[in-house]
Amino acid sequence: MSRRLLALAVVFSAGAARAQTPPPPESEPEPINDSDGYTPAVEGAGAPSPLSINGYIDVGFARAQGDGTSFAPDDGSIPADYGVDTFAPAVNSRGDVASTNPNGRFVNGFLPRSVGIGGNGSFLLNTLDVDLKYTAAAAPLMIFSRVQFLPRFTGSGDDTRVYVEQAFGRLVPFDSQEFALAAGKFDSVFGIEYLDNQANIRTGVTPSLVARYTTGQSIGAKLFYRVQIQPLQSAVSLNVSATNSGNFVESLQPPDASLTGEPVGAGRLGYELNTRGIQVKLGASGLIGPRNDQANQAAHQKAYGFDARVAVAGVYLNAEYVHVDEGEGGPKTTSLGNFPISSTFNVRGGYVQLAYALPLSLGALHKVTVYGRYDRRHAWFEGFTPITVDRFTGGVRIDLWEAIILKAEYLDNRELAGAPTVANNVFTSSLVYSW
Amino acid sequence: MHRPGAGDYARAVGSVFRVAALAALIALAGCSQAPAPPAAKLWTLFDVQTLYANGATAAKPLAPDDGLPGGIPLGDLSDGMGLVGHVALADGYQTTFVTTEVWSNYPQVWMQPAYVPVTGWVDGLPTLLGGPPWHPIFSVGPESGFYSPFWQIVYAQVPADAVPGTFTSAKQILDGGYPLTPSQGETLPLIPSGFPTVPGPGPGESASAPPTGWWDGAKISFLNFGAATFSWDEANVVQEIPFYVFTVEGADGQPHAPAEIFPVLGTVPFGTPVQPPDPNTQTSAPTIDGVARYVAYWRVYTVPVPSFATVFAPPGTDLANELTAAGDPPTGQYSDTFTGYSATELAPYLGMVAIDKLDPATGLPACFASVGVLEGCTWLESQQALQDNLDLSAAQSTGITFAGPVTQVRTTPVKPL
């Protein structure tokens, strides 16, 4: 492969649409939808170094109402995590919540990670992220790893983790095609929210109420293929994967080993319209396979979803709908431990996010973005009252130079049906340094 | 509990793989795995009704692979006409119990809250909103793997002018911020519509129809076996008490559990010393209103009939035939006197296990000489007797637990408290 074609392949790996269509006048430094996951863009005009080191530090301050959980103090039903939304009081881009302490009540593993601050305001080092990327000089190959340091202190003491979130190699075998094969641990292919997983990319601070089903990384293999339709300024893409766990976050389904011996298939079919004035991206996603929080191959999970992104005149609209059904399985194992039952579970939900980015040239101040998001989630475990919750999120983001992002937002969580009303609103903020 | 067919999944994934051309990687991912651990399973009276509706017979075994030979026959819960009473021995006496739920591979089950709206308290007793009968608001439905018939009654003091029937869900109670008074635990199995009821009615309940409560905004019927039927710990885990089932070794070398051998009810957890029986009631279980109150949650333990023990099974009885069929026919020379008795007349002793020394002349305990002296045998008829006379390290804990409220002790019906 010539050096020119190699460069093309690398650019493609980060977002071919930007390379082949005029960039929007005020485009955000965020990955393009229909890519196969976020990786840092190639920087500089000259030939890149084969090895690059990027990353970010996400420092936050957050405070949640109540005790930082969604558990109602007087509710004695068991498991405690079946009749409420334990993911609601999120405080950072990873979806970690203020607390998951059930105060002695039994829980059955439907839990997010916790930063363990309860209802106290606290500074947090949410993430120290280190990305290594190596681009082979003599092969159409890119190797990427993302290691994250997650300092945590929970009620059980120091709970700090070093987490390998991504580690994969990607091969682009044909010079003339936007066709890539990857193997390793990589981002989701379902929907669009996974593209915003990282704090230095996400417009706001916290993920949506359905992110737990669509944004998880897993180990396996995937394929990406895109066809440009130049006369229509459009493209159609396909992104499919076979992995251990599909796209659930790791606290719900462990990605690092297959518990069933069968892979989970997932994919997204996307359409893009890229014009100078407007960008539209539409997609339909699906997932099918055994649920990877237990060992019974007959216990299936199925999901489908639809997503849309529209960018015009500095206004960004993102929307996504997700429909998930999980069958009953054997004893449950997640990254958080072992639990007796993997219950039949169903969820329908989605979100709509609207953001307006105002570009500025006032010294260090480069951009101010205001955003709002509405989430709604309807879910039920078999034999438990279905719960319906929603959330209003509003916030502001300030970009200083190209290396610092300040974000602050408020989450208004509401229990509309089924779940007891509980004080679990959250104020959270994030200061992100990127390099 | 519908489970989609594996074929759908295989076809879909297969297509994905063809497109991806990553068969080699998938083959690696599909390497054989260790056997999956046994799945937890719960059968409720709703499942019983469904099984019968789908053509199952009373002989269908539930949990056949969980340590109890033959599992628990479906007919042990219901014969299709209602609950079925079974006899077990406790403290040396016959008791009758029914089976309402069966769990397999559950290390523990939990008590769940059931809310009861009240308007106040008089002399320490709650005043039900709208008066009796009560209509508890259940917090978990029978489809859940976390359902159990063991409920903690939580009284919610609602405004005196609240309209009866207003409160139908746990969310209403919790969102209302009403004072809550956690109270007694009660065994109240939920039942499907039209399920025949056998137990006697509780206070204020009609004898002609089962009582009803609320589950998720809709009415649901339940049976009432009342309070003092279980205990629980601080995590709301219901305490399990051993239910001993005797087994014999068949000709195939495998253990068999003849249904005609009386099981034995415990009164304390396995491995815990039994307290001496109360001299007045002759039971080691607490006595309330003159009746011994045994628990309603049991774990099945199998106990091999030891070589020095003898099952009372005269020739010609169903039990003798069952033992013969299992490959462990009764030995010894029973007296001809037993041939003059009907099975009903022998019933108090048929299936009991004696540990008396064998008479070399007959190969049977001397107390098996006639009906009149059977009472003098040393029977394994209580947890105390098992602990005193057997090495219970040979007893095997099974994966089976069940809800088995006792409905009669000796000849006295157990009225729900």
Side-chain angles (χ1 to χ4, degrees):
Chain A
M1 176 184 286
S2 69
R3 187 168 295 276
R4 182 184 61 80
L5 289 176
L6 173 63
L8 175 62
V10 172
V11 170
F12 154 67
S13 71
R18 272 189 293 194
Q20 300 189 16
T21 60
E26 307 299 339
S27 62
E28 287 188 79
E30 62 182 9
I32 294 299
N33 189 18
D34 285 336
S35 79
D36 47 354
Y38 164 69
T39 53
V42 178
E43 295 177 354
S49 165
L51 179 65
S52 61
I53 303 175
N54 299 87
Y56 66 88
I57 296 171
D58 176 8
V59 181
F61 177 85
R63 179 169 187 176
Q65 290 181 324
D67 63 1
T69 74
S70 291
F71 303 126
D74 292 326
D75 183 9
S77 61
I78 287 173
D81 47 348
Y82 270 31
V84 301
D85 191 345
T86 55
F87 286 71
V91 299
N92 62 24
S93 290
R94 303 186 59 78
D96 298 347
V97 297
S99 175
T100 54
N101 182 359
N103 281 317
R105 289 171 62 197
F106 174 79
V107 293
N108 194 50
F110 195 73
L111 296 168
R113 295 281 180 179
S114 166
V115 296
I117 61 174
N120 299 317
S122 177
F123 292 104
L124 300 165
L125 181 51
N126 290 312
T127 306
L128 163 56
D129 177 284
V130 179
D131 299 341
L132 299 178
K133 187 176 72 172
Y134 175 77
T135 305
L141 179 67
M142 188 271 285
I143 300 169
F144 179 77
S145 69
R146 168 167 292 142
V147 177
Q148 298 187 324
F149 300 81
L150 309 170
R152 299 289 184 269
F153 187 89
T154 65
S156 56
D158 184 15
D159 200 18
T160 297
R161 293 188 301 146
V162 177
Y163 185 62
V164 179
E165 189 176 274
Q166 295 193 41
F168 64 87
R170 179 165 52 209
L171 181 69
V172 181
F174 308 116
D175 296 347
S176 60
Q177 299 291 323
E178 290 186 50
F179 179 87
L181 299 169
K185 188 174 186 181
F186 44 74
D187 252 338
S188 166
V189 298
F190 193 108
I192 52 175
E193 193 174 1
Y194 73 89
L195 296 165
D196 295 341
N197 275 349
Q198 305 308 317
N200 60 336
I201 299 299
R202 183 178 291 280
T203 301
V205 178
T206 59
S208 77
L209 288 176
V210 296
R212 73 197 79 168
Y213 313 111
T214 66
T215 62
Q217 298 79 23
S218 193
I219 300 176
K222 74 173 175 179
L223 173 154
F224 176 77
Y225 183 54
R226 176 158 45 197
V227 177
Q228 298 289 339
I229 309 172
Q230 294 290 2
L232 300 178
Q233 296 181 289
S234 298
V236 175
S237 63
L238 178 68
N239 204 357
V240 296
S241 69
T243 61
N244 286 336
S245 58
N247 310 128
F248 281 54
V249 296
E250 53 90 26
S251 69
L252 295 180
Q253 293 195 22
D256 295 320
S258 173
L259 305 188
T260 66
E262 286 191 12
V264 178
R268 178 179 182 274
L269 182 64
Y271 166 77
E272 305 170 27
L273 173 66
N274 293 298
T275 70
R276 181 171 295 277
I278 184 170
Q279 290 182 307
V280 177
K281 303 179 189 303
L282 305 172
S285 303
L287 174 150
I288 188 169
R291 51 188 294 179
N292 201 47
D293 57 355
Q294 53 84 57
N296 183 356
Q297 292 181 348
H300 288 177
Q301 55 183 348
K302 294 180 178 177
Y304 63 82
F306 305 97
D307 58 76
R309 274 189 167 190
V310 178
V312 57
V315 175
Y316 298 85
L317 174 68
N318 292 5
E320 192 164 2
Y321 170 79
V322 179
H323 178 123
V324 181
D325 295 311
E326 289 186 296
E328 184 182 51
K332 181 191 279 190
T333 300
T334 75
S335 298
L336 298 175
N338 297 316
F339 306 92
I341 301 172
S342 50
S343 304
T344 300
F345 175 70
N346 312 91
V347 63
R348 289 89 178 93
Y351 66 89
V352 177
Q353 177 174 294
L354 192 63
Y356 176 68
L358 178 64
L360 298 168
S361 297
L362 300 174
L365 184 58
H366 281 203
K367 188 166 60 178
V368 174
T369 305
V370 293
Y371 60 91
R373 187 180 67 213
Y374 176 71
D375 300 19
R376 191 179 181 94
R377 175 177 173 270
H378 177 67
W380 65 99
F381 288 94
E382 187 175 45
F384 278 73
T385 301
I387 68 169
T388 303
V389 298
D390 72 356
R391 177 201 277 169
F392 292 93
T393 302
V396 62
R397 164 179 166 156
I398 299 171
D399 289 55
L400 302 174
W401 301 287
E402 295 295 335
I404 297 177
I405 304 168
L406 274 167
K407 295 186 273 189
E409 73 179 35
Y410 188 79
L411 286 67
D412 180 12
N413 290 304
R414 302 191 306 173
E415 293 74 32
L416 303 179
T421 300
V422 63
N424 60 351
N425 295 341
V426 175
F427 166 77
T428 186
S429 58
S430 174
L431 171 60
V432 183
Y433 308 95
S434 302
W435 69 84
Chain B
M1 300 178 185
H2 172 69
R3 291 188 179 124
D8 298 342
Y9 165 63
R11 282 190 293 276
V13 172
S15 300
V16 170
F17 292 170
R18 283 191 293 276
V19 173
L22 295 173
L25 285 170
I26 302 315
L28 287 174
C31 290
S32 61
Q33 297 281 300
K41 175 69 178 167
L42 161 65
W43 289 271
T44 68
L45 294 176
F46 290 80
D47 298 312
V48 169
Q49 189 180 61
T50 301
L51 286 168
Y52 276 125
N54 291 337
T57 67
K60 175 183 172 58
L62 307 181
D65 302 318
D66 296 320
L68 175 63
I72 293 183
L74 177 62
D76 277 13
L77 285 80
S78 169
D79 57 4
M81 302 297 291
L83 298 178
V84 176
H86 294 274
V87 176
L89 303 174
D91 293 320
Y93 298 94
Q94 290 192 356
T95 61
T96 303
F97 69 97
V98 295
T99 303
T100 56
E101 283 84 11
V102 174
W103 292 264
S104 73
N105 297 311
Y106 273 70
Q108 55 200 17
V109 303
W110 294 265
M111 175 181 69
Q112 299 279 9
Y115 302 95
V116 176
V118 299
T119 56
W121 297 80
V122 177
D123 297 331
L125 297 175
T127 302
L128 299 177
L129 174 65
W134 68 341
H135 299 287
I137 301 164
F138 299 106
S139 56
V140 179
E143 301 87 359
S144 172
F146 289 96
Y147 159 83
S148 91
F150 307 114
W151 305 93
Q152 181 172 39
I153 304 304
V154 180
Y155 293 107
Q157 188 165 343
V158 301
D161 59 354
V163 177
T166 300
F167 300 99
T168 62
S169 73
K171 177 176 172 62
Q172 285 177 295
I173 298 294
L174 295 171
D175 284 0
Y178 308 117
L180 301 178
T181 305
S183 189
Q184 75 276 13
E186 301 219 11
T187 301
L188 311 172
L190 303 182
I191 58 173
S193 175
F195 189 86
T197 57
V198 171
E205 297 164 0
S206 166
S208 59
T212 60
W214 296 98
W215 152 236
D216 196 20
K219 280 193 173 181
I220 192 166
S221 299
F222 64 93
L223 303 176
N224 187 349
F225 294 97
T229 44
F230 64 95
S231 59
W232 62 92
D233 66 11
E234 65 278 2
N236 288 352
V237 173
V238 178
Q239 185 181 59
E240 62 182 42
I241 298 298
F243 180 93
Y244 297 102
V245 174
F246 289 105
T247 61
V248 298
E249 185 176 313
D252 55 3
Q254 298 300 311
H256 295 258
E260 300 287 328
I261 299 181
F262 287 128
V264 175
L265 305 183
T267 53
V268 296
F270 185 79
T272 305
V274 179
Q275 296 299 312
D278 183 290
N280 296 318
T281 64
Q282 296 298 310
T283 70
S284 55
T287 298
I288 303 174
D289 290 347
V291 181
R293 302 287 172 168
Y294 293 94
V295 302
Y297 181 58
W298 311 97
R299 179 169 296 279
V300 176
Y301 286 77
T302 57
V303 181
V305 174
S307 58
F308 57 84
T310 310
V311 179
F312 181 66
T317 60
D318 288 345
L319 175 56
N321 295 335
E322 188 176 2
L323 289 170
T324 301
D328 185 29
T331 57
Q333 186 63 46
Y334 279 85
S335 165
D336 291 340
T337 62
F338 290 111
T339 59
Y341 290 88
S342 68
T344 303
E345 291 170 304
L346 295 175
Y349 298 101
L350 269 179
M352 292 184 69
V353 180
I355 57 169
D356 300 272
K357 188 176 179 181
L358 301 184
D359 180 346
T362 62
L364 295 170
C367 60
F368 280 20
S370 68
V371 171
V373 296
L374 284 172
E375 190 177 5
C377 290
T378 302
W379 300 105
L380 297 177
E381 56 186 358
S382 67
Q383 188 177 21
Q384 179 80 65
L386 291 172
Q387 289 186 355
D388 290 347
N389 297 294
L390 300 185
D391 175 10
L392 287 181
S393 65
Q396 294 289 322
S397 173
T398 72
I400 299 174
T401 59
F402 67 96
V406 172
T407 57
Q408 182 172 301
V409 176
R410 303 177 203 174
T411 57
T412 305
V414 178
K415 183 170 178 154
L417 296 173

